[in-house]
Amino acid sequence: MPLLLAKNKLHRKNRLKQKSSSPLKPSLSRTSKNQKDIQKTFTSTFSCTSSSKKLYQPKPLLQKSTHTQSSTTTLGSSFLKIPNFTKPPLKTRIFSRFTKTSELFLYKNLKSHSNTSSSSTCIDNSIILPKAKRKEEIGKFKFLIYNGNNSELIKNLLDLRSSWSEGYFTMPSSVNFIWMPTSQNIKFEKLKALNNTQYVNHLEFHHEISNKSKLFANLTLFCANNKISIWDVVPMTFIIDFRSCNFNSQLHCFKLYMTNAYSKKWPPTHYVGRNVWIMKPAGLNRGRGIMVFDDIDTLEKEVKEITSNKTPGHATTYVIQKYIEKPLLIYNRKFDIRVWVLITQLENCYFFPQGYLRTSSESFTLDSLSSKFVHLTNNAVQKDGKEYGKFESGNQISFKQFKKYLKTYFGNIQLSNIISIMKTQIIISLMAVKGKLNPHNRPNCFEIFGYDFIIDSLFKPWLIEVNTNPCIELSSPLLEQIIPRMLDDALELTIDTVFPTEKTQLKTSMVLNLPQGNMWEFLVCLKEPGELLV
């Protein structure tokens, strides 16, 4: 033990000696007789220290520093003046004008929540705008628009409203309105109510109508309870759930029906001897994963793809529906009709009277079932075709043009009669999900749905599907007029009733002579008691 204490004392003495002999401290020994050498030592040492000090000393931003430093060394004749070494001042802290986070942190977070490659980057303007502009936005309602499906259009429509400005993506709970292309990340149970009202553009259980399998299940139950033939609304349909333990049984039932299709009592437009069917993923849109077939072997190949999870979106539930083998054609090409339906926060349902036809790029034939440009009219599919836009801009036709076509080629056939049947089918679909779209009665939700119809050669419409997040891309001059008008009028019936504001008049292309005022037509209220009369 005494040996250890002695070693520790020896180590301590060695460290003290090393510190005292540091090269940064000049030796001021009184025994040195060469005063010039002493001056040279101090001058070189101090100049080195002084220069390094300047590297670490920032310019003070709030006030001048009280610290001083000597830049020269003065030697008297009888004494040596040692320079006054001072510590560099502490770096001045720059506080952000935001209370919860710094500007840099906020900017990085906003940038990470936005699509920087898109022109619709949602970076908060208060970072860039001058103080005067930021003061103008205090007290305004705040919105957040998430990227996807031309959501920049929604931002432009809200910018027409003087009481609105863009909020912070880092603080979504502080905004009054959120627009999202999909509802996957919306926490409906946390939506604010009463004083801090917060609205979203989706209904909590919209899949009850926007999912193809759930739509069919709800229609089946409703039509059975109200003595309505479901086969007057939708074509013959089968649901195959590959997650179910009895999906083989479901598949067997369909195969049995398909092999005996010739003996069934079909509508004359559904079966002309080819026995064609169409298979679609229940939860996907934009034409993804759709297959048209007329033989069991093709179906079984697709089933193998599905069970091995090689299908688009790894879909597991599919709808197999009877293909209308004799559809109404326009200039010898297949088409469908897209219309919009709005369900407000009060569960009032509206129909927008100006829809459009989506046409295929190639002539219709049942001899080429694998050609998606013949059979699938989705714009997301057709835009990849070589003939896209050859016949119509964006492969879209207005109702006005369709009326003219019907009058020219079919005489007394009225589009208004076709639309009237479509409205009835829409009301049936809405009543089928009454109490299911918003079961918790959240007052902060609304939604715009895209309804798709096929018209057969006897001019009867058939409901094909209902879409959440319908396409709002402006892919033609026609859509440049009717889609912004449809959305603007929808916002008037929803958030404008809750957040009053002055609005600049919407300006669009003048393809159609649209009427003044709100164009949405009331259909039904899902909160009112009553039964459907058809």
Side-chain angles (χ1 to χ4, degrees), residues 337 339 353-357 398-403 415 419:
I337 294 180
V339 293
Q354 283 294 335
Y356 64 100
L357 278 62
S398 68
F399 279 2
K400 181 180 179 180
Q401 293 170 304
F402 188 38
K403 279 183 183 178
L415 177 59
I419 292 177

Side-chain angles (χ1 to χ4, degrees), residues 127-269:
I127 294 177
I128 303 170
L129 296 176
K131 285 185 178 180
K133 184 67 176 177
R134 292 199 305 274
K135 286 181 179 179
E136 291 178 9
E137 295 185 353
I138 294 176
K140 288 188 175 183
F141 304 123
K142 300 294 183 182
F143 64 82
L144 288 181
I145 309 298
Y146 286 80
N147 289 337
N149 189 18
N150 193 30
S151 56
E152 179 71 12
L153 174 60
I154 306 299
K155 181 180 182 300
N156 293 338
L157 293 174
L158 288 169
D159 286 339
L160 294 175
R161 291 155 166 78
S162 60
S163 298
W164 286 91
S165 65
E166 197 167 2
Y168 304 118
F169 279 90
T170 50
M171 294 182 285
S173 61
S174 66
V175 302
N176 305 99
F177 176 52
I178 297 175
W179 177 280
M180 282 188 173
T182 63
S183 61
Q184 294 176 354
N185 296 321
I186 298 176
K187 296 181 179 179
F188 290 91
E189 69 279 2
K190 292 186 178 180
L191 291 178
K192 291 190 174 182
L194 300 177
N195 295 331
N196 292 322
T197 308
Q198 188 175 67
Y199 275 65
V200 294
N201 65 312
H202 288 287
L203 296 167
E204 187 172 7
F205 290 90
H206 64 77
H207 58 265
E208 292 288 343
I209 195 171
S210 61
N211 182 284
K212 300 175 186 65
S213 62
K214 288 186 176 293
L215 170 64
F216 179 71
N218 288 320
L219 280 173
T220 301
L221 181 62
F222 178 79
C223 289
N225 292 336
N226 290 274
K227 298 180 180 180
I228 302 170
S229 174
I230 188 175
W231 309 126
D232 286 335
V233 181
V234 298
M236 177 59 67
T237 304
F238 292 84
I239 306 298
I240 312 296
D241 185 358
F242 289 93
R243 294 171 301 180
S244 173
C245 58
N246 64 338
F247 85 87
N248 282 312
S249 177
Q250 297 172 353
L251 203 57
H252 176 73
C253 289
F254 167 72
K255 289 178 181 179
L256 189 64
Y257 192 97
M258 181 182 177
T259 54
N260 294 283
Y262 64 91
S263 64
K264 307 298 182 184
K265 292 183 179 180
W266 298 102
T269 57

Side-chain angles (χ1 to χ4, degrees), residues 454-491:
I454 289 286
I455 315 298
D456 67 18
S457 60
L458 297 178
F459 309 102
K460 183 184 185 314
W462 297 87
L463 175 59
I464 302 302
E465 62 187 38
V466 181
N467 297 277
T468 182
N469 185 31
C471 180
I472 58 173
E473 294 174 359
L474 309 182
S475 52
S476 71
L478 171 65
L479 299 191
E480 287 176 2
Q481 182 182 22
I482 62 175
I483 287 183
R485 179 64 183 274
M486 178 271 296
L487 291 170
D488 192 53
D489 286 359
L491 293 177

Side-chain angles (χ1 to χ4, degrees), residues 386-426:
K386 295 180 181 179
E387 304 295 324
Y388 178 70
K390 178 180 178 180
F391 303 101
E392 304 91 20
S393 176
N395 280 36
Q396 289 132 19
I397 293 177
S398 68
F399 279 2
K400 181 180 179 180
Q401 293 170 304
F402 188 38
K403 279 183 183 178
K404 186 177 180 181
Y405 178 83
L406 291 174
K407 185 176 181 181
T408 302
Y409 293 94
F410 301 101
N412 59 351
I413 299 299
Q414 299 293 321
L415 177 59
S416 59
N417 293 336
I418 296 175
I419 292 177
S420 179
I421 298 173
M422 290 166 53
K423 285 182 179 179
T424 300
Q425 293 173 338
I426 289 171

Side-chain angles (χ1 to χ4, degrees), residues 8 10-21:
N8 286 336
L10 182 61
H11 284 307
R12 196 177 298 121
K13 287 180 180 180
N14 290 336
R15 283 198 299 269
L16 290 173
K17 286 181 180 180
Q18 288 175 2
K19 285 185 178 181
S20 62
S21 61

